[in-house]
């Protein structure tokens, strides 16, 4: 009886243990749960910058791995400043400006495929595209590369197409969204290739999905619109009575949109929408009672959403998932310095050795300061962390302007952020895509030959040496700073910064060299083991 009773009593104990396990709370596993914000030191900020006093709800600044641009105060017209990222510290009050507009500049955006090209729009009803010299702005720029004249009222926003080369979108107070083809040979372009007239009021923001096949907009008439950017056909339209949207972002390829705005009771609110149905938001969450506009920033690689309020000192960040509850609050970065605008660094300009996954450039008007703020994933190892840096969008266009206008859509050309890795070579159909500006850049740098030129030549000794020089120049680009294009330091502070950066680069290269030595030893050991495991060959006796 006791023997048979023992096994019969065992199963209920196992069932109880399983039930207890299911009662435990379920925790989300996330790599970014402990992401923290780290502000740059005073020496690495940009001080004494005369930031614009405009009340427009824009970011007023833009950044790429080479340059930082900020709209400034200017009498008798509009202007903005452009300075190299490594020229931190006190700004020269007589620093040259880009000052070709006759009215206040309202928005600026860098070309995602050309770090020397920037677009600006102004109250003078024009959009201008500028070429920035390789060493930065050494004298006032007043003549643009392209002058776009088509709007009848002031132009408030400009956006570049995310995958097509030289396609620019602009919108203003004439309620129209205009599409410009910058491959046009004229210096003054008066006719856009397409005009979208779906809006009945001022457009407040524009956002593309990953391949640029969808354009989302928010308007002063409280409506969220989703349309085909090439034709302007309206696909979806949303108008929630409980949410007044001011800014919109398409969340990559997740088939969702996020908007920031206000609730019926004027509380700041964030709303998530289904891309296929904009009749009602998936969820709406009230944040606080402040009045400043919320600027959303999204990283499609990490699925992290950042919210920075105008006039706030903090930055909230969340993780987005495709399943309920969709938005998972992580934490927020707190600061006593209020921001007037923010610029986000492209992923290819981040410092991967410190596990930096996002970087803001924060305009602090009360101190005439631009403060970099890095979002860092805490890791013990200082080596490259492949799990937090997936393949990301590169600075190579996937399409020519004519191809996109002809009806072709393509996703972005991807690149790895691993130190020492090279950008993927462009496809055969992309030959000849680079404009005359890119040709001049390559010719102005001795020893830097166009990659297509090297590839098309036969494998001669000279060609191999040229390819080697091109690779050396490409490797010299580290964290967005091209050492060959850096101007010499002017002050002791700049010299000290250059020294520390070079020491950091030497440490990084030594670490990479050590990893390769370890790999070589592993391979040698494997070869030795294989040789030892093979049976000895027997020779026939005479």
């Amino acid at each position: 009886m006791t023997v048979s009773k023992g096994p019969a009593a065992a199963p209920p104990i196992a069932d109880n243990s399983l039930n207890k396990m299911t009662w435990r709370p379920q925790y989300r596993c996330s790599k970014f749960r402990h992401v923290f914000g780290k502000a740059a030191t005073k020496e690495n900020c940009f001080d004494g910058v005369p930031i614009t006093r405009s009340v427009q709800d824009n970011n007023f600044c833009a950044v790429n791995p080479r340059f930082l641009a900020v709209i400034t105060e200017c009498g008798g017209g509009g202007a903005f400043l452009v300075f190299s990222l490594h020229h931190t510290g006190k700004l020269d009050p007589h620093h040259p400006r880009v000052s070709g507009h006759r009215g206040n500049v309202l928005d600026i955006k860098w070309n995602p495929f050309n770090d020397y090209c920037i677009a600006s729009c102004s109250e003078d009803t024009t959009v201008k595209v500028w070429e920035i010299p390789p060493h930065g702005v050494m004298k006032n720029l007043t003549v643009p590369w392209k002058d776009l004249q088509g709007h009848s009222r002031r132009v408030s926003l400009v956006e570049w197409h995310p995958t097509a080369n030289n396609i620019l979108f602009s919108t203003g107070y004439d309620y129209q969204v205009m599409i410009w083809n910058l491959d046009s040979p004229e210096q003054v372009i008066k006719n856009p290739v397409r005009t979208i007239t779906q809006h009945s009021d001022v457009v407040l923001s524009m956002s593309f999905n990953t391949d640029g096949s969808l354009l989302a907009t928010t308007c002063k008439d409280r409506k969220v619109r989703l349309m085909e950017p090439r034709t302007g056909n309206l696909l979806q339209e949303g108008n929630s009575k409980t949410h007044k949207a001011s800014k919109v972002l398409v969340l990559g390829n997740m088939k969702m949109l996020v908007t920031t705005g206000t609730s019926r009771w004027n509380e700041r609110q964030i709303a998530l929408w289904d891309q296929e149905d904009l009749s009602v938001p998936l969820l709406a969450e009230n944040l606080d009672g402040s009045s400043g506009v919320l600027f959303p920033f999204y990283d499609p690689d990490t699925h992290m959403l950042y919210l920075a309020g105008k006039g706030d000192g903090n930055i909230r960040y969340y993780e987005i998932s495709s399943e309920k509850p969709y938005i998972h609050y992580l934490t927020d970065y707190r600061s006593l310095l209020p921001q007037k605008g923010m610029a986000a660094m492209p992923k290819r300009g981040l410092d991967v050795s410190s596990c930096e996954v996002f970087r803001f450039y924060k305009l602090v008007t009360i101190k005439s300061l631009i403060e970099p703020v890095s979002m860092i994933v805490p890791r013990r190892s200082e080596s490259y962390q492949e799990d937090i840096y997936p393949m990301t969008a590169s600075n190579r266009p996937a399409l020519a302007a004519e191809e996109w206008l002809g009806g072709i859509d393509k996703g972005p050309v991807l690149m790895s952020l691993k130190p020492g890795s090279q950008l993927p070579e462009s496809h055969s159909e992309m030959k000849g895509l680079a404009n005359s500006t890119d040709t001049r850049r390559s010719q102005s740098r001795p020893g830097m030959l166009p990659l297509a030129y090297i590839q098309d030549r036969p494998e001669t000794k000279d060609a191999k040496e040229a390819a080697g020089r091109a690779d050396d120049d490409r490797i010299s680009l580290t964290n967005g700073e091209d050492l060959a294009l850096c101007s010499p330091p002017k002050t002791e502070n700049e010299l000290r910064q250059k020294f520390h950066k070079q020491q950091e680069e030497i440490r990084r290269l030594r670490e990479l060299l050590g990893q390769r030595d370890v790999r070589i030893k592993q391979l040698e050991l494997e070869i030795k083991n294989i040789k030892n495991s093979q049976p000895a060959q027997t020779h026939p006796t005479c």
Side-chain angles (χ1 to χ4, degrees), residues 52-64:
T52 178
R53 293 193 291 268
S54 171
V55 296
Q56 189 85 11
D57 288 331
N58 287 341
N59 284 307
F60 302 119
C61 58
V63 67
N64 67 24

Side-chain angles (χ1 to χ4, degrees), residues 28 317-321 323-330:
R28 285 186 65 253
Y317 38 102
Y318 306 78
E319 196 169 1
I320 307 294
S321 66
E323 300 175 353
K324 289 184 178 181
Y326 303 115
I327 298 181
H328 307 275
Y329 172 74
L330 296 176

Side-chain angles (χ1 to χ4, degrees), residues 101-156:
H101 285 285
R102 299 187 306 275
N104 291 330
V105 177
L106 300 181
D107 194 21
I108 50 177
K109 293 283 169 55
W110 288 103
N111 187 336
F113 311 119
N114 185 351
D115 288 343
Y116 303 97
C117 179
I118 187 170
S120 62
C121 61
S122 167
E123 292 181 349
D124 63 6
T125 74
T126 66
V127 179
K128 299 182 188 294
V129 184
W130 307 85
E131 287 183 355
I132 304 302
H135 295 280
V137 180
M138 299 299 181
K139 61 180 181 179
N140 287 345
L141 284 182
T142 56
V143 181
W145 173 51
K146 296 287 183 182
D147 194 349
L148 314 180
Q149 302 174 3
H151 288 279
S152 58
R153 299 183 66 184
R154 56 181 171 172
V155 190
S156 55

Side-chain angles (χ1 to χ4, degrees), residues 51 55 65 69 80 88-89 141 160 167 186 253 259 263 286 302 330 354 357 373 500 509 512 524 530 532 537:
I51 303 169
V55 296
F80 60 95
T88 54
L141 284 182
W160 294 90
I167 293 291
E186 295 88 6
N253 288 328
T259 59
S263 68
N286 293 338
T302 60
L330 296 176
S354 62
V357 292
V373 178
H500 289 312
L509 291 174
L512 184 62
E524 289 177 348
I530 292 172
N532 292 337
Q537 295 180 355

Side-chain angles (χ1 to χ4, degrees), residues 180-456:
W180 306 89
N181 180 8
L182 303 186
D183 284 343
S184 176
E186 295 88 6
Q187 192 268 336
V188 178
I189 305 175
K190 296 189 176 181
N191 296 314
V193 294
R194 197 87 72 249
T195 300
I196 301 174
T197 57
Q198 297 283 357
H199 303 87
S200 59
D201 211 324
V202 179
V203 178
L204 300 177
S205 68
M206 298 187 291
S207 176
F208 293 93
N209 66 340
T210 303
D211 63 0
S213 60
L214 295 174
L215 171 66
T217 63
T218 53
C219 185
K220 210 169 181 180
D221 62 6
R222 303 173 63 103
K223 294 182 179 179
V224 181
R225 293 176 174 86
L226 190 67
M227 61 190 73
E228 293 179 348
R230 192 183 294 105
T231 61
N233 293 335
L234 187 64
L235 302 177
Q236 292 282 334
E237 186 176 271
N239 185 11
S240 175
K241 295 181 180 180
T242 60
H243 177 74
K244 183 180 179 181
S246 60
K247 301 292 181 183
V248 64
L249 271 184
V250 182
L251 300 181
N253 288 328
M254 295 186 68
K255 296 188 179 299
M256 290 192 291
L257 281 69
V258 65
T259 59
T260 60
T262 56
S263 68
R264 182 181 294 175
W265 313 109
N266 280 336
E267 291 182 303
R268 289 200 297 192
Q269 193 177 60
I270 176 175
L272 197 68
W273 306 76
D274 183 0
Q275 183 177 295
E276 307 296 333
D277 181 14
L278 297 182
S279 59
V280 62
L282 293 173
L283 66 87
E285 181 180 341
N286 293 338
L287 299 179
D288 54 40
S290 299
S291 59
V293 174
L294 282 170
F295 297 105
F297 300 87
Y298 180 66
D299 182 2
D301 300 332
T302 60
H303 302 295
M304 288 185 66
L305 174 69
Y306 303 85
L307 298 180
K310 187 176 180 180
D312 296 356
N314 64 327
I315 302 172
R316 298 176 176 89
Y317 38 102
Y318 306 78
E319 196 169 1
I320 307 294
S321 66
S322 56
E323 300 175 353
K324 289 184 178 181
Y326 303 115
I327 298 181
H328 307 275
Y329 172 74
L330 296 176
T331 183
D332 58 346
Y333 162 78
R334 296 183 178 275
S335 170
L336 297 177
L337 300 176
Q339 59 240 5
K340 183 183 180 70
M342 306 281 279
M345 171 67 76
K347 295 297 288 288
R348 56 192 173 89
L350 300 180
D351 182 9
V352 297
S353 65
S354 62
C355 298
E356 183 184 38
V357 292
F358 213 79
R359 189 193 305 162
F360 293 99
Y361 284 79
K362 172 179 170 180
L363 302 187
V364 184
T365 311
I366 59 173
K367 290 195 171 185
S368 299
L369 185 75
I370 302 179
E371 180 185 49
V373 178
S374 299
M375 295 296 166
I376 297 173
V377 179
R379 294 284 174 93
R380 292 183 179 179
S381 174
E382 294 184 359
S383 61
Y384 176 74
Q385 305 291 308
E386 198 161 357
D387 60 323
I388 61 175
Y389 295 113
M391 297 290 283
T392 189
S394 70
N395 59 344
R396 294 180 185 271
L399 292 167
E402 291 300 328
E403 290 176 324
W404 181 79
L405 292 172
I408 302 175
D409 288 319
K410 279 188 179 179
V413 178
L414 301 180
M415 64 175 286
S416 171
L417 296 180
K418 188 172 184 178
S421 63
Q422 300 177 7
L423 284 176
E425 307 302 343
S426 56
H427 302 290
S428 58
E429 64 266 22
M430 294 302 297
K431 289 185 179 180
L433 185 66
N435 54 23
S436 58
T437 305
D438 299 328
T439 306
R440 289 197 297 273
R441 304 290 180 219
S442 61
Q443 291 176 349
S444 64
R445 295 178 56 183
M448 181 65 177
L449 297 179
L451 192 58
Y453 173 77
I454 297 172
Q455 288 176 336
D456 291 342

